[in-house]
Amino acid sequence: MESEKYVVFQAGKQQYGIPVSSVSSIEKMLDLTKLPQVPDYMSGITNVRGKVIPVLDIAKILFNQPFKKSNSNKIILVNLNDSIVGIIVEDAKEIVDVLSEDINEVNGLVTANVTYLSGVIQTDTGFVTLLNLEKLVVNLGDIESIREQMEQLTT
């Protein structure tokens, strides 16, 4: 039986999971610097251990609603296509070990236009929707221009 660990986080009133293997670190909320003329899901940039990191608002991406500011906000740094990107979440809850047979597929009608959903698991606290962040970010129309702007900032 194969298993994989997932970081469970809160966005909106939902719980989501991303593979621990794609997570670089989980940081307390950091100061963000806004950039002009970037998509509204990009909250800004921040400095983490000497590196400039773009920070995306996962609630804005998923629900078109900005994240709810609170003391429990975190930034999860993830490795995406050889780049580190931060995602703001309302709270990083826990790390769960999930057996592959415990992952339920989401009905094809639901996922036809949402290819970034990997499945759903049931936990003691409810459902956790598993995300494929690479597919989610690739679906964002302006992600390439953001990467180019980040490269210009760091060179």
Side-chain angles (χ1 to χ4, degrees):
M1 289 185 224
E2 286 189 36
S3 70
E4 186 169 8
K5 292 186 184 309
Y6 287 85
V7 173
V8 176
F9 63 87
Q10 184 90 22
K13 296 182 180 184
Q14 307 295 317
Q15 292 186 82
Y16 293 92
I18 54 175
V20 167
S21 59
S22 65
V23 174
S24 174
S25 67
I26 300 173
E27 307 290 332
K28 292 181 181 176
M29 191 62 189
L30 302 165
D31 290 332
L32 299 175
T33 301
K34 297 258 185 210
L35 294 176
Q37 299 179 348
V38 295
D40 60 354
Y41 58 79
M42 184 170 174
S43 295
I45 58 174
T46 193
N47 184 323
V48 179
R49 292 181 278 290
K51 290 187 177 181
V52 177
I53 307 289
V55 179
L56 309 179
D57 181 346
I58 195 77
K60 188 73 173 169
I61 294 167
L62 294 173
F63 306 114
N64 203 26
Q65 299 284 327
F67 72 97
K68 292 180 182 142
K69 294 181 181 181
S70 74
N71 291 335
S72 60
N73 290 142
K74 303 277 189 302
I75 297 177
I76 301 176
L77 299 182
V78 294
N79 299 304
L80 294 176
N81 302 325
D82 300 324
S83 299
I84 300 286
V85 175
I87 59 169
I88 297 175
V89 300
E90 290 172 19
D91 196 5
K93 299 281 189 184
E94 60 185 325
I95 295 177
V96 296
D97 200 8
V98 179
L99 296 172
S100 55
E101 65 258 19
D102 291 340
I103 298 174
N104 299 296
E105 289 188 25
V106 181
N107 183 311
L109 291 174
V110 175
T111 60
N113 294 323
V114 208
T115 59
Y116 54 83
L117 297 179
S118 300
V120 176
I121 59 170
Q122 177 90 42
T123 68
D124 295 338
T125 58
F127 287 108
V128 175
T129 304
L130 304 179
L131 299 177
N132 180 323
L133 285 180
E134 286 185 10
K135 286 184 180 179
L136 178 64
V137 171
V138 166
N139 286 338
L140 300 175
D142 302 317
I143 199 65
E144 284 307 315
S145 64
I146 291 171
R147 278 200 183 110
E148 289 172 12
Q149 286 179 356
M150 293 309 303
E151 286 177 14
Q152 290 174 359
L153 285 172
T154 58
T155 55

